[in-house]
Amino acid sequence: MKNILISGIFLLSSSLFAQTALLSEKITALRKYDSEHLLRIALPLGGIGTGTVSLGGSGELRDWEVMNVPAKGYSTVTTGNDAPFFAIYTRKKDENPITKALMGPIHFSDYQHYEGRSVDHHGLPRFRDASFETTYPFGIVNLSDKTMPVKVKVVGYNPLIPGDADASGIPVAILKYEVENTTSDEIEVSISGNIRNFIGKDGRKHRSDWKGDYIPLGAEENKNEYRSSGNIQGIYMYSEKVDKDDAAWGTFALSTPAENDGNISYRTSTAQNSWSNGILDFWDDFSADGMLTEKEKQVDDDPMASLAVHKTLKAGETTTFTFYLTWHFPNRYSWSKEKLRNYYTTQYTNAWDVIEKEADRLPELTEKTLTFVNALLSSSYPDVIKEAALFNLSTLRSQTVFRIDDGKMFGWEGVMDRFGSCFGSCTHVWNYEQATAFLFNDLAKTMREVEFGYALNEYGHMGFRTNLPLKESSSGIAVAAADGQMGTIMKFYRDWQLSGDDEFLEQYWSKVKAALAFAWIENGWDGDVDGVMEGVQHNTMDVEYFGPNPQMQIWYLGALRAAEEMAIYMKDKSFAKKCNKLYKRGSEWTDANLFNGEYYFHKIQTPESKEEIAKGLMAGMGTKNIKNPDFQLATGCLVDQLVGQYMAHVIGLGYLLKEEHVKTALESIQKYNKRESMFEHFNNMRSYAMGDEKALLMASWPHGGRPKIPFPYWSEVMTGFEYTAAIGMLYEGMEQEGLENIKNIRDRYDGQKRNPFDEAECGHHYARAMASWAGILAESGFLYSGVSKSVKFTDKPGEYFWSNGNAWGICSVAKAGNNYKVNLKVLHGKVVLDSFQLGSNKPLTFKNTRTIHEGENLEIDYEL
C-alpha cells in the first residue's frame, strides 16, 4: 500500500449557478412516463413523519394526507371543481387572455359519472399534453398545449438528505412552475394557487346528501389571513372553532418568496359557494387580468384562499414561479387512544413559522438533495437498482411513518385508504427493510430503543407490535414472533456497527441477551437448546409454523452469530461461547435435515398438547388443530426461505449455511416460483400481480406435498419478499436473475397500472418494500463498521454511491495494472477509518486513523 492521501475540497460551490439555473435542468430524470402512463402516479411531497400531499402525473395535487391520517383519493372537498389547484393566465399584446388549470387532460376512464363530475377539476380548462419524469424526491410534470403561448414544467419536491432526519422532515411541499414563453413576443403570465381552508376536515367525518355524495365535515368558521414577513408573502389558514385536541386541528399556509420579480396579489375568500359560485367568482377575477382582488368579507366555513404571482416574460424567456405549501398539525392518535404530539411540530409553532424559518435555508437543502440524487444516479448501479432503491424511499415520507415528540420513529406496516394498516412497528415486517438504517441511522436506533427498552418484558418476551403510549417492559400485546424477535437482534447489531455507538450496546446488552435467551425457555422456540427451532413459531405469514423451517431457523442462526459478535466485544465470554456452539450445531443440522438437494423446506413437528407450547407464542390467527395443523409450508419452496442469510450478508456476518446450498436454493426459487404470466395462476387471496405481469410467487410445491390448507399467502406475490430473493441472488453472483426479478417488480409499477411510489402489500407504502435499498449494498459490496472503523467495497471497477446512515458519498474503484486506484469521496458528514478493503483482498490497515470530512476524499493506491 502506498500514497494514501486525503485531499481537500473537491466540490465547487454551486450557489452562483443556483441563482440563474432552472431547477429542472439540474435534475437528471431516472424514469420518464408518457401520456399513457400518468393515471396512477402520485409522488408524495412532505417530510419524514410530517404527512404529505402528492403530485399527480398530470400536475394535479392529490391524496391530501397532512392531517395525521391516510387519505387516498381525498382532496379536502367533495369531488368537483373546489379541490386545491394552480392556474395560469397568459396574455399576448392585442390578443385575448387564456386561463387554464395547470394540469394535463383527464384520463378517458374517468369520463363517466352519475352527475358529470367524476374527478376533481373536471370543469376547468386543461393542457392537452402532459408527461412526467422523476428522480425521487423530484417530480417534473411537462405541460404543453397548441393553443397556449407557453410550455410549463411543474417541479415538486421536498428536501431529502440522508444522515439529516430533521432537514428531511420539514412539513413543506415545494412547487416550482417553470414557464417558457414559446412565442417571439413579450407576454404576461400569472400563476395562482387556490386552496379552500380545510382545517378540521381530514376526511374521517362526513355526511352524504340525497345523491349519495361524500361530503367531508369539520370546518367551522375557518379564517384566512394575508401575511407578509421578511422574505415571504402568502395566506395563513387557521380556525378558532375547531377542537384543539382534534387530529385535524392545526394550521396551513400557501406562500411565495417576496423577492419574486413580479406582482403578488391575493384573495382570502370568494363569493359564497352556493351553486359552485365560489370557483366562478375566482375564475372571472383571475381571467380578467391575472391579478386578484381581495374580498371584503370571508364567506363559507372553508373559505377559498388564492395567491397569484404576475410577471412579464420576454420572447423565448423562461422564468420560475415558486410556491410553498406548509402545515402544522400537532395531534396524532394513530394506534394510541391518548393524544401524541408529532415531532415536527415541536420544531415550529405553526405553519407560517415553518416557512419563515426554512425559506432562506431551502435553496441550500435543495442543492444538498440534488447532490444526493445525482451522486446515486452517477453510480455504476443498474438503473433498475437505483429506481427500486430511490422510489421506495417515498414510504418514509408517507403516513406509514411518524415520529412522536421525543423524536422516536414508529411505523405502521402500511396504510389503507383511510387508516393505518397493522399497528406497532411490526418487528417481522420491519425486519426486511434496510433504507432507514443505511440512510437515517439515528432514526433506526430509536426503533431499536422501542423494541428493547419497551416491547421486551423482564422474561425476554418481545411483543411483535408495540402499543402507544409507551410503557417500559410492556409492548401491550401478548405474542412474540420468532422471526420478528430474532431479526431485531440482527438489526441491533447492524445499527450498533453503523453508528459505532458503544454506549448504545452497553445500555441494551442485557436486553439483547434476554431476547435471544427467550428462545431457550421451556417449550419455547428452541426449548431443548440445540440450535434448532423445533417449537411453535408465530411469524410474518400471520400464523404459526410447527417445527423446523428455513425462514425462522435462519433468522435464529443469524441472531446467534450477531449475539456472539456482540458478546465478544462486551467480553462476555460464556455467552459468546454458548452462541457459537448453538450456531454451529444449528447450521450443521439445518443443512443436513432441511436441505433437500434443491431448497430448504419445513419439517412439521407438533407438540403433544397445547400445554407443551410456552405462553406468548400463539396469536390465535393460525390453526386450531395442533395435531394436524393448517397453514403450514411443509415441502414447499418459499420465496424468502433465505431471508436470514440476506440479512447476514447485509450486516457482514458471512454465510450461515453452506454457500453451495444457498446458491442452489436461490436457483430453485428462480426455477420453481417465477411466473412469466399470471393468466394461468390461481390465487385465492390478494392479487398484486395480474395478467401478463411477471413475478415470484410466495411459494411453490414442485414435487407435490402442498398442504390442503397452506399458509395464507402461499399464492400471492409481494414485492418485499421478491426483493429479498432477488437481492439474495445478487449476493450469490446471480446478476441476471436478480436484476430480472427487480425489473419485473418495477415494470408492474409503471404509472398506468400502479403508482411507482407506492408498492403495496397489506396496505399502501408497505414498509417491507424498502428492502430494495439492499440492492445498493449487494452491488457495491458495501460494509461499514463504526466500531472497527473499517469499510469494504467490491473490487469490481466502478463508481459506487454509499451511505452508512450518518455520512455518504462516492467510492471510485479503478484497475491500475494488477492493482487498484481508489477514491473515497465524502459528500455529507464524516468518516473515521482505520482500514479499507476491496472484495476478498487483504484489508489495508492505515498507520494512523484517517478522518475524511465532508468535501474531502481519500485517495488510495491499493496494491495486491
Side-chain angles (χ1 to χ4, degrees):
M1 176 184 63
K2 61 181 179 180
N3 192 23
I4 300 171
L5 172 67
I6 297 178
S7 61
I9 301 299
F10 56 82
L11 290 177
L12 296 177
S13 172
S14 56
S15 58
L16 294 177
F17 177 69
Q19 294 174 11
T20 56
L22 296 170
L23 178 56
S24 64
E25 294 175 347
K26 301 165 75 174
I27 300 168
T28 302
L30 181 56
R31 278 295 303 267
K32 297 183 179 181
Y33 302 84
D34 62 23
S35 60
E36 300 300 316
H37 293 82
L38 305 179
L39 179 64
R40 303 292 185 188
I41 292 176
L43 188 153
L45 304 176
I48 297 173
T50 69
T52 60
V53 57
S54 291
L55 176 64
S58 293
E60 74 278 17
L61 296 175
R62 55 193 291 184
D63 302 342
W64 286 76
E65 301 177 286
V66 298
M67 289 180 166
N68 302 303
V69 292
K72 295 303 175 193
Y74 180 62
S75 62
T76 77
V77 295
T78 302
T79 300
N81 290 322
D82 288 333
F85 72 102
F86 281 75
I88 186 169
Y89 162 96
T90 63
R91 182 176 181 274
K92 292 176 66 176
K93 187 176 181 180
D94 299 328
E95 292 187 11
N96 292 327
I98 304 174
T99 304
K100 283 182 179 283
L102 281 159
M103 302 173 222
I106 296 172
H107 194 274
F108 64 85
S109 65
D110 285 328
Y111 277 21
Q112 184 167 349
H113 184 262
Y114 58 84
E115 207 192 24
R117 44 183 177 80
S118 55
V119 293
D120 289 321
H121 320 110
H122 55 84
L124 305 187
R126 293 169 173 246
F127 283 73
R128 283 175 167 81
D129 302 305
S131 63
F132 188 87
E133 52 192 276
T134 180
T135 294
Y136 188 79
F138 297 99
I140 303 174
V141 181
N142 302 296
L143 299 173
S144 62
D145 190 308
K146 62 185 179 182
T147 69
M148 294 290 287
V150 296
K151 290 182 179 179
V152 181
K153 287 184 180 290
V154 186
V155 184
Y157 68 101
N158 176 290
L160 179 63
I161 303 167
D164 193 340
D166 284 359
S168 304
I170 302 171
V172 62
I174 303 170
L175 295 168
K176 291 183 176 287
Y177 293 85
E178 298 176 357
V179 182
E180 178 190 357
N181 178 358
T182 59
T183 75
S184 56
D185 300 310
E186 187 176 84
I187 61 172
E188 294 178 46
V189 176
S190 184
I191 291 182
S192 175
N194 314 282
I195 305 176
R196 303 196 75 87
N197 184 330
F198 61 99
I199 307 300
K201 295 197 300 179
D202 61 12
R204 290 180 297 173
K205 292 176 286 187
H206 59 90
R207 68 176 179 86
S208 295
D209 61 11
W210 66 274
K211 295 170 287 188
D213 287 342
Y214 166 87
I215 304 173
L217 305 173
E220 185 176 358
E221 297 182 24
N222 291 0
K223 302 297 182 184
N224 296 330
E225 174 185 301
Y226 172 74
R227 288 188 174 186
S228 177
S229 54
N231 56 350
I232 291 295
Q233 296 184 51
I235 310 294
Y236 175 67
M237 304 181 189
Y238 65 99
S239 176
E240 295 175 345
K241 293 294 185 73
V242 173
D243 184 354
K244 289 181 171 54
D245 288 325
D246 197 296
W249 175 80
T251 57
F252 191 90
L254 164 65
S255 61
T256 189
E259 66 268 19
N260 263 318
D261 53 343
N263 296 316
I264 297 175
S265 59
Y266 65 90
R267 316 170 104 205
T268 57
S269 187
T270 61
Q272 190 166 16
N273 199 31
S274 59
W275 293 97
S276 298
N277 277 323
I279 186 71
L280 173 63
D281 181 59
F282 158 77
W283 199 264
D284 285 348
D285 184 14
F286 185 60
S287 298
D289 58 5
M291 302 291 288
L292 300 172
T293 304
E294 171 66 313
K295 308 294 285 188
E296 293 183 4
K297 181 181 178 182
Q298 292 188 27
V299 296
D300 303 320
D301 281 330
D302 61 343
M304 177 174 158
S306 296
L307 179 69
V309 178
H310 183 282
K311 299 183 182 185
T312 300
L313 274 67
K314 297 176 182 178
E317 181 184 2
T318 301
T319 193
T320 300
F321 297 73
T322 300
F323 292 88
Y324 305 119
L325 307 179
T326 53
W327 56 90
H328 188 276
F329 295 96
N331 307 323
R332 177 174 288 277
Y333 291 88
S334 292
W335 57 81
S336 171
K337 293 181 180 179
E338 297 182 24
K339 182 176 69 176
L340 306 169
R341 187 177 184 188
N342 285 314
Y343 171 77
Y344 81 87
T345 64
T346 68
Q347 310 299 298
Y348 314 99
T349 56
N350 55 47
W352 193 259
D353 188 44
V354 174
I355 196 58
E356 274 193 317
K357 286 182 175 177
E358 302 294 356
D360 288 342
R361 200 163 68 110
L362 287 177
E364 175 190 349
L365 299 182
T366 300
E367 290 298 318
K368 200 61 176 287
T369 303
L370 284 166
T371 300
F372 161 52
V373 296
N374 288 337
L376 182 52
L377 261 61
S378 69
S379 300
S380 302
Y381 305 115
D383 283 352
V384 71
I385 291 282
K386 299 172 186 175
E387 179 186 335
L390 263 183
F391 288 25
N392 277 304
L393 296 183
S394 58
T395 293
L396 287 174
R397 321 293 274 273
S398 73
Q399 282 289 347
T400 295
V401 170
F402 62 94
R403 300 175 70 187
I404 60 174
D405 55 1
D406 65 0
K408 289 186 179 69
M409 177 174 141
F410 295 84
W412 300 90
E413 292 183 19
V415 293
M416 302 303 184
D417 284 356
R418 299 296 301 142
F419 44 83
S421 171
C422 304
F423 75 96
S425 303
C426 177
T427 58
H428 60 64
V429 167
W430 281 84
N431 273 353
Y432 289 68
E433 73 94 12
Q434 305 298 334
T436 307
F438 282 91
L439 295 179
F440 300 99
N441 187 248
D442 55 342
L443 295 184
K445 285 170 64 182
T446 70
M447 299 187 83
R448 306 295 82 75
E449 290 171 16
V450 170
E451 289 160 355
F452 290 94
Y454 296 91
L456 192 80
N457 71 17
E458 58 186 309
Y459 304 108
H461 177 286
M462 181 187 291
F464 69 90
R465 304 187 191 278
T466 304
N467 271 322
L468 288 169
L470 293 172
K471 295 180 181 179
E472 287 192 15
S473 302
S474 175
S475 70
I477 71 166
V479 180
D483 51 353
Q485 189 150 329
M486 296 302 102
T488 61
I489 296 168
M490 297 185 78
K491 289 187 295 186
F492 191 97
Y493 176 80
R494 175 195 64 194
D495 298 343
W496 166 58
Q497 286 288 328
L498 288 174
S499 67
D501 186 349
D502 286 350
E503 290 183 3
F504 181 60
L505 176 59
E506 291 165 2
Q507 179 180 356
Y508 290 104
W509 174 234
S510 63
K511 293 180 179 292
V512 172
K513 289 173 63 177
L516 181 57
F518 181 76
W520 308 327
I521 65 171
E522 184 178 2
N523 296 322
W525 297 319
D526 183 14
D528 58 1
V529 197
D530 64 350
V532 180
M533 279 196 171
E534 302 98 343
V536 174
Q537 304 145 55
H538 186 76
N539 64 80
T540 200
M541 303 307 174
D542 295 324
V543 293
E544 289 79 39
Y545 284 173
F546 287 71
N549 62 87
Q551 190 177 28
M552 267 54 73
Q553 175 62 17
I554 304 174
W555 273 122
Y556 180 35
L557 296 177
L560 287 167
R561 278 288 295 115
E564 178 189 358
E565 293 294 327
M566 289 185 279
I568 291 170
Y569 193 83
M570 293 296 294
K571 296 180 172 56
D572 193 339
K573 294 181 180 179
S574 61
F575 198 76
K577 183 177 180 180
K578 183 172 185 176
C579 290
N580 178 267
K581 178 181 177 181
L582 290 178
Y583 160 71
K584 287 182 176 178
R585 184 185 296 172
S587 177
E588 183 179 343
W589 187 95
T590 303
D591 275 319
N593 292 274
L594 296 187
F595 188 71
N596 66 4
E598 292 186 291
Y599 57 87
Y600 293 91
F601 67 99
H602 172 200
K603 278 194 169 186
I604 297 175
Q605 184 174 318
T606 61
E608 289 297 319
S609 66
K610 285 188 176 180
E611 286 68 35
E612 293 186 12
I613 304 173
K615 183 179 179 181
L617 302 189
M618 294 188 70
M621 299 171 66
T623 187
K624 307 303 179 185
N625 180 2
I626 65 170
K627 288 292 186 181
N628 185 26
D630 292 328
F631 309 121
Q632 304 301 291
L633 172 64
T635 59
C637 180
L638 186 66
V639 69
D640 69 326
Q641 60 189 269
L642 293 168
V643 59
Q645 180 61 69
Y646 145 91
M647 185 65 163
H649 282 322
V650 165
I651 63 180
L653 291 177
Y655 283 94
L656 304 176
L657 300 162
K658 288 183 178 180
E659 180 178 352
E660 62 271 25
H661 288 182
V662 170
K663 184 168 184 178
T664 298
L666 288 164
E667 290 172 341
S668 296
I669 291 169
Q670 181 75 358
K671 177 180 179 180
Y672 295 130
N673 293 41
K674 185 186 175 187
R675 295 294 180 269
E676 295 292 336
S677 162
M678 307 305 288
F679 276 110
E680 282 69 49
H681 177 64
F682 170 81
N683 175 15
N684 59 307
M685 287 284 287
R686 306 165 300 185
S687 293
Y688 299 110
M690 293 180 273
D692 62 0
E693 294 178 326
K694 300 176 182 179
L696 289 177
L697 299 182
M698 288 293 290
S700 64
W701 284 263
H703 308 300
R706 196 210 81 187
K708 182 175 178 59
I709 302 179
F711 71 92
Y713 312 127
W714 67 278
S715 59
E716 293 186 354
V717 167
M718 293 183 274
T719 69
F721 293 99
E722 290 179 281
Y723 283 128
T724 302
I727 292 165
M729 293 173 191
L730 296 180
Y731 273 115
E732 299 309 317
M734 300 169 60
E735 187 87 355
Q736 180 178 338
E737 296 88 343
L739 294 178
E740 176 186 283
N741 287 313
I742 295 173
K743 182 179 184 299
N744 290 342
I745 295 170
R746 294 307 303 170
D747 283 349
R748 302 200 296 266
Y749 289 83
D750 65 353
Q752 180 184 53
K753 296 176 289 188
R754 298 176 186 85
N755 181 8
F757 308 100
D758 177 10
E759 290 191 15
E761 190 179 312
C762 186
H764 301 284
H765 309 293
Y766 203 75
R768 197 182 333 251
M770 288 189 288
S772 56
W773 187 262
I776 299 290
L777 308 176
E779 288 289 284
S780 63
F782 178 72
L783 283 172
Y784 173 81
S785 172
V787 178
S788 63
K789 298 180 177 60
S790 63
V791 69
K792 179 181 179 181
F793 288 91
T794 178
D795 58 5
K796 179 181 178 181
E799 301 278 324
Y800 300 103
F801 174 86
W802 59 269
S803 175
N804 65 12
N806 300 291
W808 47 270
I810 290 280
C811 183
S812 303
V813 179
K815 279 289 270 196
N818 293 324
N819 300 317
Y820 291 91
K821 283 190 175 294
V822 177
N823 190 349
L824 182 69
K825 301 177 183 178
V826 176
L827 299 171
H828 177 85
K830 70 176 183 180
V831 173
V832 180
L833 295 176
D834 284 334
S835 66
F836 183 94
Q837 184 178 4
L838 287 181
S840 59
N841 299 297
K842 184 179 179 180
L844 301 179
T845 301
F846 307 139
K847 291 181 179 179
N848 299 302
T849 297
R850 306 288 175 167
T851 301
I852 311 99
H853 295 91
E854 181 173 327
E856 296 179 343
N857 59 340
L858 176 66
E859 297 177 355
I860 303 172
D861 284 344
Y862 194 99
E863 296 182 353
L864 301 182

